[in-house]
């Protein structure tokens, strides 16, 4: 379904601002995007294994609906994190190993910890991506600065609690090799600045490229920065439509 998002629903949009990958909707492709996101909502917030164990989508309908937020701000934030995860897995060399929104204890609350952590284990040492997601009807320089502030915490590295969370979930799923990668990243000095990449990911009702390009650089020397954004002019209407597929 990621391929549907970035090959059939969205298309690259040229921008004069360096270091920003910008997407917009293809003409007439809104239905394609909504159809893809309907499945991805259930996958990210519930999970295929749970749905299968519950007897399929029809029997699991109540579980799915009860997992989706009704609060507009949380809906927007969760959708931004979902799209960021799909973007990283589909369009970059990094891999986000788990869909962590499944483990939310309250559907109306944001997930604690870093928004998105991915790794590129094809290199030695392992490269690490730390992404901050911002979903806004109006994206501003203040929002970009807020994202940078979050990215710079923990010396610019991932929150150790987030790394531990991912490690535990991977071991629970018997994905031991992947779990050990994240376990090793928690050792003191395991992640050098040159192995870190920061990303601000925006889902925005206005073009955020200028604000992303002009965002302050990391205060930690050696950390790279990438920025990506999806421009949806009717941001609020779009977010509502995504969740309306399940009656939320």
């Amino acid at each position: 379904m990621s391929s549907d998002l970035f090959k059939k629903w969205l298309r690259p949009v040229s921008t004069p601002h360096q270091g920003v990958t910008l997407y917009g909707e293809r003409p007439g492709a809104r239905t394609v995007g909504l159809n893809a996101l309907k499945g991805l909502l259930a996958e990210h917030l519930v999970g295929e294994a749970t749905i299968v164990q519950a007897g399929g989508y029809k029997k699991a309908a109540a579980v799915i609906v009860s997992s989706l937020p009704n609060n507009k701000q949380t809906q927007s934030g969760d959708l931004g994190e979902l799209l960021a995860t799909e973007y990283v897995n589909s369009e970059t060399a990094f891999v986000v190993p788990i869909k962590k929104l499944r483990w939310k204890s309250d559907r109306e609350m944001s997930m604690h910890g870093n928004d998105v952590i991915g790794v590129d284990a094809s290199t030695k040492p392992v490269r690490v991506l730390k992404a901050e997601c911002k979903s806004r009807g109006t994206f501003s320089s203040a929002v970009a600065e807020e994202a940078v502030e979050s990215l710079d915490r923990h010396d610019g590295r991932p929150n150790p609690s987030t790394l531990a969370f991912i490690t535990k979930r991977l071991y629970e799923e018997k994905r031991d090799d992947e779990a050990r990668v994240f376990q090793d990243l928690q050792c003191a000095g395991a992640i050098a600045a040159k192995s870190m990449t920061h990303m601000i990911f925006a889902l925005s009702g206005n073009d955020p490229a200028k604000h992303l390009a002009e965002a302050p650089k990391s205060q930690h020397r050696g950390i790279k920065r990438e920025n990506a954004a999806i421009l949806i002019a009717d941001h609020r209407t779009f977010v509502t439509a995504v969740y309306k597929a399940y009656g939320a």
Side-chain angles (χ1 to χ4, degrees):
M1 282 183 284
S2 294
S3 60
D4 284 353
L5 293 180
F6 295 97
K7 302 296 187 295
K8 298 179 181 179
W9 171 45
L10 300 170
R11 62 179 179 179
V13 176
S14 62
T15 175
H17 302 288
Q18 297 296 312
V20 180
T21 301
L22 182 63
Y23 289 89
E25 291 186 282
R26 296 178 185 273
R30 172 66 59 94
T31 300
V32 174
L34 292 177
N35 286 340
L37 286 167
K38 181 179 180 180
L40 288 169
L41 264 186
E43 176 64 13
H44 277 256
L45 280 95
V46 179
E48 183 180 1
T50 297
I51 293 169
V52 170
Q53 286 294 104
Y57 276 89
K58 189 172 183 179
K59 290 186 177 180
V63 175
I64 296 172
V65 172
S66 296
S67 300
L68 303 181
N70 290 313
N71 177 279
K72 292 181 179 180
Q73 183 175 346
T74 309
Q75 286 182 343
S76 178
D78 284 0
L79 183 58
E81 186 170 320
L82 181 161
L83 285 166
T85 299
E86 293 298 321
Y87 169 76
V88 172
N89 281 337
S90 174
E91 305 300 313
T92 78
F94 295 98
V95 175
V96 183
I98 65 169
K99 298 173 175 63
K100 68 184 185 68
L101 291 173
R102 292 177 191 171
W103 287 275
K104 290 178 63 173
S105 59
D106 187 319
R107 64 179 178 176
E108 304 298 359
M109 294 182 65
S110 299
M111 191 77 175
H112 295 302
N114 298 136
D115 289 343
V116 175
I117 299 295
V119 296
D120 177 3
S122 68
T123 65
K124 299 297 179 185
V126 172
R127 295 170 60 227
V128 181
L129 174 76
K130 178 181 182 181
E132 181 72 13
C133 312
K134 296 295 181 184
S135 180
R136 296 287 192 277
T138 303
F139 194 95
S140 65
S141 58
V143 175
E145 290 167 8
E146 181 183 314
V148 172
E149 182 180 341
S150 294
L151 290 169
D152 271 344
R153 291 174 188 151
H154 302 284
D155 294 325
R157 277 66 168 180
N159 183 336
S161 294
T162 302
L163 292 176
F165 178 87
I166 295 171
T167 303
K168 290 182 285 187
R169 301 294 80 78
L170 289 171
Y171 274 130
E172 287 171 356
E173 295 181 359
K174 310 301 182 185
R175 297 161 62 185
D176 292 8
D177 289 345
E178 293 172 90
R180 278 188 281 271
V181 171
F182 282 86
Q183 181 177 336
D184 291 346
L185 290 176
Q186 295 166 65
C187 298
I191 311 175
K194 65 181 180 181
S195 298
M196 278 298 308
T197 298
H198 284 175
M199 176 185 287
I200 306 174
F201 183 92
L203 174 64
S204 177
N206 63 318
D207 185 346
K210 180 177 184 294
H211 300 302
L212 291 171
E214 295 178 355
K217 302 303 179 186
S218 174
Q219 63 180 339
H220 305 289
R221 293 183 60 185
I223 294 179
K224 295 176 282 295
R225 168 77 59 75
E226 297 180 6
N227 300 299
I230 298 174
L231 171 60
I232 306 291
D234 58 338
H235 177 274
R236 179 66 257 166
T237 300
F238 173 73
V239 173
T240 299
V242 171
Y243 287 88
K244 191 176 180 180
Y246 286 107

